[in-house]
Amino acid sequence: MTNYLDFEKPLAEIEGKAEELRAMARGNKEMDIEEEARGLDKKAEELLGDLYKSLTPWRKCQVARHPDRPHCKDYIDALFTEYTPLAGDRNFAEDLAVMGGLARFNDRPVVVLGHEKGHDTKSRIERNFGMARPEGYRKAVRLMDLAHRFKLPLISLVDTPGAYPGKGAEERGQSEAIARSTEKCLFIGVPHVSIIIGEGGSGGAVAFATADKVAMLEHSIYSVITPEGCASILWKDAGKMREAAEALRVTAQDLEKLGVIDRIIKEPLGGAQRGREETIKRVGDSIEGLLSAMDGKSSEDIVKARHKKYLDMGSKGLAA
């Protein structure tokens, strides 16, 4: 069953009518409605193209959060072999919002980690909707240390509305854990490629995405705060999230212009949720290309180039 977003309601009506006609034909073999149904299919495809041709930043936020988009586990299952998950932060607990471990990518040994939101009610609650607690970021630091020690490239898949803001997380040092994870990203001496596959929210995303190469799916978002959170702070009205999304420059297209990301990965028409396998393949091709570009570089050169990248980014921002 297709889950339609608010702005896709006209599309839902057309596709629903086409399916209704075909259902009637299945019940009555004498009915010939295929030509009419194909006409509706064509109309739906044209409407889909029009809807996605110029999405507003807020609509991109909606697409990035679509529940049917491929999640971290889907990418790991499809792109990696010999995946061996590693659990726990060796300090407090396991955090199911963060998954990661050792694997092979195109037969290259790597460390992979990412945020996992879950795919149904039960798994979303278990995964805390992809919002990591301090132990999740400390687990990430442990995996980054492992990658550094054994000289394994690191691949991070980012999809989180932000770090978990609960009282317990704050008591256990949420901000410190995020800062340590971001710092570790800066200093590991191995290639690090990060892909924003859905939401890249706040420091919870930066803690995984401070990488040598950062790519975003075409309709993903990456921002310092959610549009709703920004609107609540600036205007005391979460209903102004559309204005906030515009102001925050959350889209991949804006962030590429600003030099925050290195590549945009094109999504199938209608978003990743309408072409999951194709999207996963494109992400895999991009990871391969970005990793290959860093082959042969020494640890010292990698860290030096990474530091320069982020220092230059700040300088450009100040100059602007």
Side-chain angles (χ1 to χ4, degrees):
M1 178 181 174
T2 303
N3 289 304
Y4 292 95
L5 299 169
D6 288 344
F7 68 88
E8 294 178 323
K9 284 181 180 177
L11 180 67
E13 291 178 9
I14 296 171
E15 291 187 338
K17 286 177 182 176
E19 178 54 35
E20 191 177 317
L21 283 173
R22 290 190 169 100
M24 290 170 60
R26 286 194 293 270
N28 184 350
K29 301 297 183 182
E30 294 181 2
M31 290 184 67
D32 183 12
I33 50 78
E34 193 52 40
E35 185 176 345
E36 188 176 350
R38 279 200 300 267
L40 288 171
D41 289 342
K42 185 178 179 182
K43 188 176 179 181
E45 187 175 353
E46 290 171 355
L47 178 58
L48 185 65
D50 290 340
L51 288 173
Y52 278 80
K53 185 166 55 180
S54 54
L55 291 175
T56 64
W58 173 243
R59 286 184 174 180
K60 280 187 178 285
C61 291
Q62 292 177 285
V63 177
R65 296 167 175 173
H66 198 291
D68 294 337
R69 284 177 77 85
H71 292 152
C72 179
K73 187 177 184 301
D74 300 313
Y75 288 98
I76 290 176
D77 289 345
L79 297 176
F80 297 85
T81 56
E82 298 181 35
Y83 172 62
T84 304
L86 300 176
D89 66 347
R90 299 296 186 266
N91 184 30
F92 181 74
E94 162 68 337
D95 185 352
L96 292 176
V98 175
M99 63 182 299
L102 298 165
R104 286 184 178 273
F105 175 75
N106 291 346
D107 208 35
R108 180 199 303 243
V110 298
V111 171
V112 59
L113 76 130
H115 305 94
E116 173 56 39
K117 287 183 170 179
H119 63 277
D120 56 21
T121 302
K122 182 183 177 187
S123 61
R124 284 172 191 143
I125 292 170
E126 287 176 346
R127 303 282 186 179
N128 202 32
F129 301 88
M131 295 185 290
R133 298 175 171 88
E135 45 273 22
Y137 295 104
R138 292 180 180 129
K139 175 167 74 171
V141 168
R142 187 166 75 86
L143 289 169
M144 293 178 203
D145 276 332
L146 188 70
H148 178 81
R149 188 178 309 128
F150 293 103
K151 301 188 185 312
L152 301 174
L154 174 66
I155 299 165
S156 56
L157 303 169
V158 177
D159 189 15
T160 180
Y164 182 62
K167 181 184 175 186
E170 293 299 323
E171 289 173 343
R172 296 194 299 280
Q174 182 73 290
S175 58
E176 182 268 347
I178 291 171
R180 293 288 184 191
S181 182
T182 307
E183 179 187 40
K184 185 61 68 175
C185 283
L186 284 168
F187 287 97
I188 55 173
V190 295
H192 178 187
V193 170
S194 184
I195 312 292
I196 316 292
I197 58 174
E199 287 186 275
S202 191
V206 173
F208 283 20
T210 308
D212 301 295
K213 300 294 181 182
V214 182
M216 289 179 68
L217 280 172
E218 182 182 3
H219 303 311
S220 59
I221 57 171
Y222 190 20
S223 64
V224 70
I225 190 172
T226 63
E228 296 91 334
C230 176
S232 296
I233 292 169
L234 292 185
W235 295 290
K236 311 298 181 187
D237 180 5
K240 289 188 177 290
M241 66 276 191
R242 292 170 181 80
E243 292 88 337
E246 292 274 357
L248 284 167
R249 310 286 288 275
V250 300
T251 69
Q253 293 72 24
D254 280 334
L255 293 167
E256 186 181 42
K257 288 177 187 174
L258 291 169
V260 174
I261 66 166
D262 303 286
R263 178 181 294 189
I264 296 174
I265 303 169
K266 189 170 178 57
E267 297 187 26
L269 180 63
Q273 66 276 7
R274 282 183 172 257
R276 293 166 60 91
E277 290 183 7
E278 187 178 352
T279 300
I280 291 170
K281 182 182 183 304
R282 289 178 183 179
V283 167
D285 291 343
S286 289
I287 293 172
E288 178 60 37
L290 293 170
L291 278 179
S292 296
M294 289 183 280
D295 282 346
K297 291 187 178 181
S298 68
S299 294
E300 293 77 12
D301 288 343
I302 287 170
V303 173
K304 185 177 178 181
R306 190 184 302 140
H307 287 185
K308 185 177 187 305
K309 170 182 178 172
Y310 287 97
L311 288 170
D312 286 351
M313 194 184 296
S315 300
K316 289 175 185 174
L318 289 171

